[in-house]
Amino acid sequence: MQQALTLESENGFRNIHGRKERFNTFVARELISLDSKHLPKEKIDFLISLSEGFEAYDSSPESARRRLVIDTRKALYSLSKVFDPPTTIKPPKLRLPNQKDYSNVEINVKDSTPSLDSTLSTVKGIGSKTIELLASLGIFTIRDLLVHYPRDYVDYSQLKRISSLEAGETATIVASIRRTNYFTSPRNPNLSVLELLIQDSTGRIKLTKFFAGRRFSNRGYLMKQVSQYPTGSTVAVSGLVKEGSYGKCFIDPIIEVLENQGTSIKSKSIGRLIPIYPLTEGLTAVRIRRVFDLVLPFAAFWKDPLPQERISHHSLMSIQNAMNQIHQPNNLESLNAARRRIVFDEFLCLQLALLRKRNLFRKKPAPQLKKVNQINSLTSQFYSLLPFSFTNEQKRVLHEIESDLESSEPMARLLQGDVGSGKTVVAIAALLYAVDSGWQGALMAPTEVLAQQHYKNLCKWLPQLHVTVDLITGSTPNSRRKQILDDLSTGGVNIIVGTHALIEDSVSFSRLGLVVVDEQHRFGVYQRDLLLRKGLQPHLLTMTATPIPRTLALSIHGDLDVSQINEMPPGREKIKTSMLQFSQRNKVFDLIRAHIKKRHQVYFVLPLVEESEKIELRSAVDVYHELSNDLFQEFNVGLLHGRMSSLDKNSTINSFVSGEVDILVSTTVIEVGVDVPNATLMVIDHADRFGLAQLHQLRGRVGRGASFSECILIDSGKNSDSRKKLEYLVGSTDGFEISEIDLRMRGPGQVLGTRQSGLPDFALANLVNDSHVLELARKEALYILNSDPELNSYKLLKDNLDLHWKRFLGNSQLN
Ligand code: ADP
Ligand code: MG
């Protein structure tokens, strides 16, 4: 505003025109939109009167304009003092010598050729008891110890003035001793207390040190303690600030008397970040820190796996330095740099492994699926059968898939998209493309319910296109199964849909060209491999149920290319989501009635099938009885859960699809894929028991048609965390956003679920907080493999990769 006012006066108060509006409009508005929380009423009134003056600016004489501009400048100047209070007093200075520079330290070894893989017993000064204790933590060699990273740090590196100390924080102050007091506790002769009152220019604070044991109550001893802290001397103090009954205080802090203000600190703790290690009984913090003193010099043997040029390119710390700083940081900045380096290396190794795996996969030839006749292709016939047209995103993604299929390199592609974004039709189009070019396609689903559904979906279109499709699941009768197997091996079936039964050894294909795996994270690597053994390397398209956060996608699907559908089909209304407490459950029943009156259908989802003795939860069976017998006798209520026979499951689903059943009470069997556009209300009971992504997926079962849909979350959680979780869902319908929040709230393991996680375990890297380093490492891995696919000039990286190949890929379940 001051700038505008200056400009206006330089231009002779002509009411200049800015880029968007006139000067007076701008100032009039800004004056009353100032944050006035901290202003007294008369100031606010004055601002309003100034603003009114500017509204009349155009019709005011020049002298009045001049006056107004000057008054406003003055007012703003005085306000700037309110908004920018004077800077606080600077923190004290403390001279911390850098941690030992280990590059010049003589290394203490018993034998003459130490290496990172030497056992700890070769290091002089580590006792056999300590070696035993470390061994129980799986630490045998020098390398093992170096990568035994602190799990946290006590932060004494914050230098503060006394007045700005806050209870609960750790900090370091420099102050002078004003008074010393010592006494033996009147109630406990074994406890002696030393109290120091210290002060700096901003205030005073009390330090208390306790001495337990009779010998400390000896007067001579106490006198000696007191004499160590002469009044008037300067001390540096590090500790945890507590709120005592007489104000803030330090209890048993670390204290060092300084000869004068400029003396450097001798203590290894004051003003520093103190590492905290995962401990084992008998291995005290002090002992393990001492071991590090002895072993850290060996970090000098750690050869940097990256060439200097790449290290500087990414402004990374050297690995030797990083190893030292992670264990004995000079300050927060160097600790962060050390972490960044080590995390970078962990991610780099993983990304190299994944990308090499992709390259390996691509080396095996795949069938080239040539597009036959452009105009009358099955895909274009399929388009004309659909009651809607593909969105631009669907077209783009299908195009990406098709150009992969045309290549002789096998496709390994992940199709991501929010619930309801229309992934399935894209997959069908891709399968038709395969059939068109003379190959077979397979569509694998994680559950029988979903396989059934896909099959039915395909049956809507494919017979009209003269494409044969069949379904094979665990419950396919033997005779039928045999027939299908024959047809598959002779090529009589073009597209096969199924569950795991699809990949049993007895199934063989005539010409398998494309495999689509729906909700792929539920398939394991073993099953994938079984499929790949069935002939040529087919092209693979995998689809996720809900979006996966990018860091997770890169870490577990880093060997896949990713296609992402970023737009919803048109005409979808947002699903209204609300949260109810259990006590408001009756409201739900009114809603159910209202939706059914409009000839729509309702899902009612519960976490459990049957009542369990251990947990006080309503179950699907309970609620089914409650709804069908008591509340809604006039409606048809269906029950669906995983323990039903597939025959029963099917008939229930079918009657829900056909509209015969109004309310489907279900467990999460319906979580994935079930598509009934006429269903408009989703009720989730005990919603707090589900993960965010799962809730989002469940909610995605409604809002699939054009009618208004809603989702009710019944919260039975006892804590605010569960409420917060549900509130996120009320606030957002964006699956990508929700998956990120889920990752932050529950961590990667939970988000993926243990059974399918396949996540490599990082020693230090964190998928929630280190996403930018992950991106960097991914880029670097691409860069390296591009110029040197065999890693010939990166011998150390290569060795490291070979060492970890199993760990990274052994339990992963990619493509
Ligand atoms: P996803 O598998 O991604 O969750 P689906 O493929 O099941 O989503 O599609 C959700 C619903 O949207 C289905 O009923 C489908 O027929 C419909 N749909 C798909 N693409 C479009 C489109 N382009 N326009 C309108 N409706 C579409
Ligand atoms: Mg789907």
Side-chain angles (χ1 to χ4, degrees):
M1 262 194 278
Q2 286 286 21
Q3 265 176 16
L5 291 160
T6 309
L7 215 61
E8 173 71 2
S9 70
E10 280 170 5
N11 279 282
F13 307 99
R14 291 186 288 113
N15 197 11
I16 46 175
H17 207 298
R19 245 189 313 160
K20 280 200 220 112
E21 55 193 346
R22 285 203 166 263
F23 161 76
N24 73 319
T25 327
F26 167 72
V27 182
R29 186 188 59 238
E30 291 297 315
L31 278 173
I32 48 174
S33 55
L34 284 171
D35 176 13
S36 54
K37 262 200 307 271
H38 307 295
L39 297 180
K41 179 155 185 340
E42 62 278 9
K43 278 243 160 76
I44 299 175
D45 288 342
F46 186 55
L47 288 178
I48 294 174
S49 74
L50 288 173
S51 170
E52 282 162 2
F54 278 106
E55 271 166 22
Y57 193 76
D58 255 341
S59 55
S60 313
E62 196 198 308
S63 60
R65 295 185 186 190
R66 179 191 299 271
R67 187 76 256 148
L68 190 61
V69 168
I70 292 171
D71 286 350
T72 309
R73 296 188 69 165
K74 274 194 196 153
L76 288 179
Y77 178 73
S78 78
L79 281 182
S80 72
K81 290 192 182 147
V82 181
F83 285 114
D84 307 316
T87 46
T88 45
I89 305 171
K90 288 201 181 72
K93 287 207 176 72
L94 196 64
R95 275 192 56 192
L96 290 175
N98 273 345
Q99 300 275 22
K100 248 186 248 165
D101 176 2
Y102 286 109
S103 51
N104 301 319
V105 168
E106 208 182 300
I107 290 169
N108 273 320
V109 275
K110 291 176 189 159
D111 72 31
S112 53
T113 50
S115 85
L116 291 178
D117 297 310
S118 307
T119 60
L120 288 170
S121 56
T122 56
V123 181
K124 261 193 215 160
I126 309 181
S128 56
K129 172 130 187 282
T130 307
I131 285 177
E132 230 170 78
L133 287 167
L134 287 168
S136 73
L137 291 174
I139 300 169
F140 303 100
T141 64
I142 291 170
R143 188 197 303 274
D144 292 341
L145 188 78
L146 290 177
V147 301
H148 184 64
Y149 303 120
R151 66 172 166 78
D152 203 355
Y153 299 82
V154 177
D155 185 1
Y156 291 145
S157 71
Q158 279 196 72
L159 290 169
K160 286 232 167 173
R161 295 289 180 181
I162 290 174
S163 63
S164 59
L165 290 175
E166 277 168 42
E169 70 176 4
T170 50
T172 295
I173 57 170
V174 177
S176 61
I177 300 178
R178 212 183 130 76
R179 203 168 57 226
T180 318
N181 186 23
Y182 67 93
F183 55 90
T184 297
S185 165
R187 264 163 297 161
N188 181 353
N190 283 327
L191 189 68
S192 303
V193 182
L194 173 72
E195 285 180 350
L196 304 181
L197 185 68
I198 61 170
Q199 72 174 24
D200 66 10
S201 56
T202 69
R204 295 173 186 177
I205 192 165
K206 197 168 79 175
L207 322 181
T208 312
K209 278 182 83 121
F210 292 101
F211 300 88
R214 185 153 289 245
R215 66 195 167 102
F216 298 123
S217 50
N218 168 313
R219 197 176 153 75
Y221 181 85
L222 283 169
M223 287 306 289
K224 212 170 127 224
Q225 284 298 315
V226 171
S227 69
Q228 281 182 25
Y229 302 106
T231 306
S233 58
T234 305
V235 283
V237 178
S238 286
L240 174 68
V241 183
K242 293 204 172 145
E243 192 69 61
S245 31
Y246 302 101
K248 294 183 191 94
C249 62
F250 283 103
I251 310 279
D252 278 329
I254 311 165
I255 309 172
E256 182 170 322
V257 178
L258 307 177
E259 259 163 53
N260 56 55
Q261 291 273 2
T263 322
S264 45
I265 291 285
K266 293 192 195 72
S267 155
K268 291 189 91 178
S269 303
I270 288 179
R272 304 223 183 250
L273 291 139
I274 318 288
I276 303 173
Y277 293 95
L279 289 183
T280 186
E281 203 171 330
L283 195 59
T284 61
V286 174
R287 190 185 284 214
I288 195 160
R289 278 180 215 143
R290 198 168 307 139
V291 174
F292 273 105
D293 283 345
L294 297 166
V295 174
L296 275 182
F298 290 89
F301 291 109
W302 198 298
K303 292 211 182 62
D304 210 306
L306 288 174
Q308 188 53 46
E309 187 262 320
R310 301 313 294 164
I311 294 176
S312 343
H313 181 80
H314 295 296
S315 327
L316 294 169
M317 190 180 247
S318 78
I319 192 70
Q320 301 88 352
N321 227 341
M323 281 299 156
N324 277 304
Q325 289 297 316
I326 199 86
H327 293 290
Q328 294 184 353
N330 281 336
N331 49 48
L332 206 56
E333 203 184 346
S334 63
L335 171 61
N336 286 338
R339 256 201 106 248
R340 180 165 176 271
R341 172 60 206 261
I342 296 170
V343 168
F344 181 89
D345 283 22
E346 284 188 6
F347 281 146
L348 181 65
C349 194
L350 171 69
Q351 290 305 322
L352 283 172
L354 289 168
L355 289 168
R356 272 178 98 202
K357 188 176 173 219
R358 177 173 83 171
N359 293 348
L360 227 87
F361 176 82
R362 281 182 175 168
K363 275 193 190 138
K364 299 180 196 158
Q368 270 177 282
L369 310 188
K370 285 265 182 287
K371 203 164 230 176
V372 244
N373 52 11
Q374 290 280 353
I375 304 131
N376 206 19
S377 69
L378 284 173
T379 328
S380 62
Q381 291 177 48
F382 175 57
Y383 284 149
S384 59
L385 286 178
L386 286 174
F388 48 78
S389 47
F390 269 35
T391 62
N392 285 333
E393 285 287 283
Q394 284 171 314
K395 280 186 207 152
R396 178 180 59 77
V397 164
L398 181 61
H399 191 76
E400 288 173 359
I401 296 168
E402 286 180 349
S403 54
D404 277 3
L405 294 177
E406 273 176 283
S407 145
S408 62
E409 277 185 1
M411 171 170 78
R413 192 169 278 282
L414 176 75
L415 176 52
Q416 279 226 76
D418 206 343
V419 187
S421 60
K423 296 181 288 284
T424 313
V425 276
V426 173
I428 297 176
L431 286 166
L432 286 174
Y433 180 101
V435 173
D436 227 356
S437 46
W439 293 79
Q440 290 169 301
L443 175 52
M444 272 165 75
T447 65
E448 203 161 325
V449 168
L450 194 53
Q452 285 275 358
Q453 165 120 12
H454 277 318
Y455 177 66
K456 236 166 267 148
N457 238 327
L458 289 172
C459 285
K460 265 195 275 180
W461 323 114
L462 301 197
Q464 303 177 63
L465 304 174
H466 307 290
V467 173
T468 46
V469 57
D470 231 316
L471 171 74
I472 209 166
T473 68
S475 56
T476 308
N478 258 337
S479 53
R480 178 88 194 97
R481 185 183 156 82
K482 214 169 153 287
Q483 178 64 49
I484 298 175
L485 292 186
D486 273 356
D487 290 346
L488 268 180
S489 60
T490 57
V493 169
N494 299 127
I495 296 178
I496 183 79
V497 183
T499 54
H500 295 68
L502 193 58
I503 45 173
E504 277 166 22
D505 273 342
S506 52
V507 184
S508 72
F509 294 85
S510 148
R511 280 163 71 80
L512 182 59
L514 169 65
V515 176
V516 177
V517 186
D518 199 6
E519 328 296 3
Q520 79 73 238
H521 62 273
R522 300 190 170 207
F523 278 98
V525 72
Y526 165 75
Q527 290 135 350
R528 192 274 322 267
D529 285 347
L530 271 184
L531 193 60
L532 296 193
R533 262 187 254 132
K534 293 184 185 302
L536 261 178
Q537 174 80 64
H539 296 282
L540 282 171
L541 178 67
T542 66
M543 301 195 281
T544 57
T546 44
I548 301 172
R550 177 156 168 90
T551 52
L552 289 189
L554 272 184
S555 301
I556 57 169
H557 302 307
D559 59 345
L560 305 182
D561 298 313
V562 177
S563 287
Q564 195 160 303
I565 302 182
N566 292 316
E567 126 192 83
M568 287 299 223
R572 294 274 172 82
E573 269 195 74
K574 258 212 172 118
I575 304 166
K576 182 185 165 204
T577 307
S578 12
M579 178 169 60
L580 291 181
Q581 296 304 312
F582 174 68
S583 54
Q584 303 164 293
R585 196 157 167 262
N586 281 340
K587 282 195 189 163
V588 169
F589 303 129
D590 297 338
L591 262 179
I592 292 180
R593 202 162 279 121
H595 276 264
I596 299 179
K597 285 260 159 67
K598 287 193 197 137
R599 308 193 152 272
H600 289 306
Q601 289 161 280
V602 177
Y603 292 101
F604 202 115
V605 177
L606 294 117
L608 288 187
V609 179
E610 277 172 301
E611 205 172 335
S612 137
E613 285 164 22
K614 282 197 208 116
I615 331 170
E616 290 270 313
L617 294 181
R618 292 174 293 285
S619 71
V621 173
D622 287 342
V623 171
Y624 169 71
H625 288 304
E626 183 188 5
L627 299 191
S628 59
N629 297 342
D630 308 337
L631 287 163
F632 297 118
Q633 286 175 1
E634 71 272 38
F635 300 138
N636 279 327
V637 185
L639 173 66
L640 184 72
H641 59 71
R643 285 198 220 143
M644 287 162 48
S645 75
S646 29
L647 213 66
D648 290 345
K649 262 194 261 180
N650 265 326
S651 80
T652 308
I653 291 257
N654 285 342
S655 39
F656 192 65
V657 172
S658 69
E660 209 177 303
V661 162
D662 304 299
I663 308 172
L664 183 63
V665 179
S666 169
T667 57
T668 52
V669 202
I670 57 124
E671 176 189 337
V672 283
V674 173
D675 185 20
V676 180
N678 191 45
T680 52
L681 174 62
M682 164 64 67
V683 180
I684 307 172
D685 207 350
H686 294 297
D688 49 287
R689 311 278 302 188
F690 299 96
L692 267 180
Q694 203 179 11
L695 288 167
H696 179 65
Q697 175 68 28
L698 281 167
R699 173 170 63 179
R701 297 307 104 215
V702 297
R704 300 175 83 80
S707 328
F708 165 77
S709 294
E710 60 187 315
C711 172
I712 308 290
L713 309 167
I714 303 179
D715 176 25
S716 58
K718 307 247 173 341
N719 55 33
S720 59
D721 271 4
S722 78
R723 192 159 329 122
K724 210 161 95 201
K725 176 170 83 182
L726 299 184
E727 269 161 9
Y728 276 122
L729 217 68
V730 171
S732 174
T733 50
D734 179 340
F736 286 94
E737 196 180 295
I738 288 170
S739 70
E740 291 287 342
I741 297 169
D742 203 22
L743 176 63
R744 271 175 199 285
M745 288 184 77
R746 297 194 302 160
Q750 288 297 310
V751 168
L752 292 170
T754 43
R755 70 204 145 122
Q756 64 245 355
S757 88
L759 261 184
D761 50 338
F762 300 110
L764 206 58
N766 174 320
L767 287 173
V768 179
N769 299 323
D770 295 325
S771 58
H772 51 290
V773 188
L774 173 57
E775 298 283 352
L776 204 64
R778 171 82 175 181
K779 266 199 213 122
E780 183 65 15
L782 282 165
Y783 170 89
I784 291 175
L785 288 176
N786 237 338
S787 62
D788 185 0
E790 295 307 320
L791 297 176
N792 290 328
S793 46
Y794 293 87
K795 193 178 166 323
L796 286 167
L797 278 181
K798 193 172 175 170
D799 291 349
N800 198 17
L801 218 56
D802 293 341
L803 199 73
H804 291 297
W805 180 261
K806 273 223 175 64
R807 199 187 101 212
F808 279 139
L809 304 176
N811 60 347
S812 74
Q813 28 80 68
L814 304 164
N815 48 58

